[in-house]
Every structure is written in structure tokens, then in C-alpha cells.
Amino acid sequence: DQQVKQNSPSLSVQEGRISILNCDYTNSMFDYFLWYKKYPAEGPTFLISISSIKDKNEDGRFTVFLNKSAKHLSLHIVPSQPGDSAVYFCAVYNTDKLIFGTGTRLQVFP
Amino acid sequence: SAVISQKPSRDICQRGTSLTIQCQVDSQVTMMFWYRQQPGQSLTLIATANQGSEATYESGFVIDKFPISRPNLTFSTLTVSNMSPEDSSIYLCSAWENYGYTFGSGTRLTVV
């Protein structure tokens, strides 16, 4: 049973516009969430995280929103840049482990 | 953050053989992890490797198939044993430190 779900396998956005990547989770006890970015032939790199005591965390062009009642989080990238083209994974921290979603491939075109 | 060197980066192996993947961290870390990413799927945790103790395997993964070594705080290996085409995946190691998780660049394994 997939505990962390990213229902959109791909997303295509024009440069300069906003990219919104979504993630849903099943367990209301999860309390720490992360986003990772992965380029081909590289390992995932940490992007941004959020604790359940917050509903928003911002770092430059990246903002993560958490809706605990809906068990949903989203990553907003604005403005999107071609270098943002990658696979984005949301993850949940649970008892010393990371549980990953299936990923969303973002393509930012000029 | 720590830097992880993982090798080989890719390999093509015959079914029935075994492959050992190595991960070297440039600093001492308490916890290391091994993940598998099958085509089009998420990263799935295989096991947690702690120095001085046996690895802890997740449901669906067994030591006979995926033996792990952790001889010191900077190094770990994962062996994929008696390979079949279903083992074709990307395998990644990861290390946890106070500031979060760092990943190796992955090993792309193809079993023919």
C-alpha cells in the first residue's frame, strides 16, 4: 500500500510560470515532510522540508504548503526555470526512515 | 553535508550472478540506508545498515538476497545475489546525519 502518493507522473510548465507539484499521504501521524529533486544519473538532493507544526515553508523560489486535514502537501516553484527540469519526490520521515512518493517529472520549457 | 561515492555507476550482469555495490562516505555517519528504484516507481527502502550490527531489512527484502556489510562508519556494501531480470533497478545508498539525508549517485543495474 503506497503511503505517499504523487498522482501526477509528469508536469510541463513554461519558463517563468509557477510549477505546482502535489503529494498526498495516508497516515495522519506523519509529522515531517521533505521534497527532493533528482536529475538523471544522480542521487536525489534535498530541496525543502516542512514540519507538521507549520503550514508553509519558503526558501527562495520554493515554497511547500502543508494541509494536515487533507493530508496533502504541495511544492510551488516560482518562477520556474529550465534548470528546474527534473524528477521531484516528496518524502515522509517516519521512524528514522524516508518513505518516498513515486515522483513527478517536471519539464520547464522556454 | 556528506559526500557519497557510489560504484559502479552502472553494470550489465548475467542472470544467476551477483553484484556488489560499494558506498564510501567522506565523513563518519551513524546510519546508512540502501534503496531500490524500479522503473517508474518510487525509491523503496531495502535495509538500514548500522555499524557493528546486522542490517535491518524492510518487508519483502531478505538478507540472503541482499546481504549488506557495514565494516566502519564510512563504508557499506550491498550485494544483489543470484540476480534475475526482475532485479534490474537503480540502487542507491544514503547516509543520515544531523542535517539530513545525503544520497549516492546510484547504480543502474541491468540483468540479462
Side-chain angles (χ1 to χ4, degrees):
Chain A
D1 184 31
Q2 192 74 24
Q3 298 184 69
V4 182
K5 302 177 185 179
Q6 294 175 256
N7 292 319
S8 298
S10 64
L11 176 67
S12 187
V13 173
Q14 189 172 28
E15 181 179 6
R17 306 293 291 267
I18 185 171
S19 297
I20 300 176
L21 297 95
N22 295 302
C23 179
D24 298 296
Y25 58 95
T26 57
N27 191 336
S28 58
M29 298 300 291
F30 292 153
D31 60 5
Y32 195 72
F33 308 87
L34 309 93
W35 283 95
Y36 282 81
K37 179 168 74 173
K38 186 179 185 299
Y39 293 116
E42 295 183 15
T45 55
F46 172 75
L47 202 53
I48 193 170
S49 63
I50 189 167
S51 161
S52 61
I53 63 174
K54 294 185 175 181
D55 53 19
K56 176 183 175 182
N57 189 25
E58 190 172 355
D59 184 2
R61 297 186 297 114
F62 302 91
T63 303
V64 56
F65 295 91
L66 176 63
N67 183 333
K68 291 183 286 295
S69 61
K71 290 183 279 189
H72 177 84
L73 65 155
S74 61
L75 174 68
H76 293 208
I77 306 173
V78 55
S80 300
Q81 300 173 354
D84 296 329
S85 297
V87 177
Y88 290 78
F89 291 94
C90 68
V92 168
Y93 177 79
N94 184 36
T95 58
D96 293 334
K97 306 169 192 172
L98 289 180
I99 304 172
F100 285 88
T102 50
T104 297
R105 182 179 300 277
L106 173 65
Q107 182 181 7
V108 180
F109 59 93
Chain B
S1 62
V3 175
I4 300 179
S5 300
Q6 183 174 343
K7 59 181 182 181
S9 59
R10 58 175 60 227
D11 207 341
I12 301 173
C13 300
Q14 297 289 326
R15 69 177 66 201
T17 63
S18 298
L19 175 72
T20 296
I21 303 167
Q22 300 180 0
C23 267
Q24 179 74 53
V25 191
D26 68 348
S27 61
Q28 294 185 338
V29 294
T30 305
M31 301 176 76
M32 292 186 72
F33 305 86
W34 287 96
Y35 286 85
R36 180 176 73 180
Q37 184 185 13
Q38 294 179 302
Q41 300 196 21
S42 65
L43 283 73
T44 302
L45 182 63
I46 297 172
T48 302
N50 296 320
Q51 194 265 339
S53 63
E54 284 195 4
T56 302
Y57 289 83
E58 298 298 306
S59 176
F61 298 96
V62 295
I63 187 171
D64 289 347
K65 177 67 175 177
F66 298 101
I68 288 171
S69 77
R70 182 81 198 276
N72 55 54
L73 292 175
T74 64
F75 187 77
S76 180
T77 68
L78 169 76
T79 299
V80 186
S81 303
N82 188 24
M83 288 183 285
S84 66
E86 292 71 34
D87 294 320
S88 297
S89 294
I90 298 174
Y91 293 85
L92 297 123
C93 66
S94 175
W96 183 86
E97 296 173 277
N98 291 337
Y99 40 78
Y101 292 83
T102 304
F103 287 83
S105 56
T107 297
R108 181 178 293 273
L109 170 62
T110 302
V111 184
V112 297

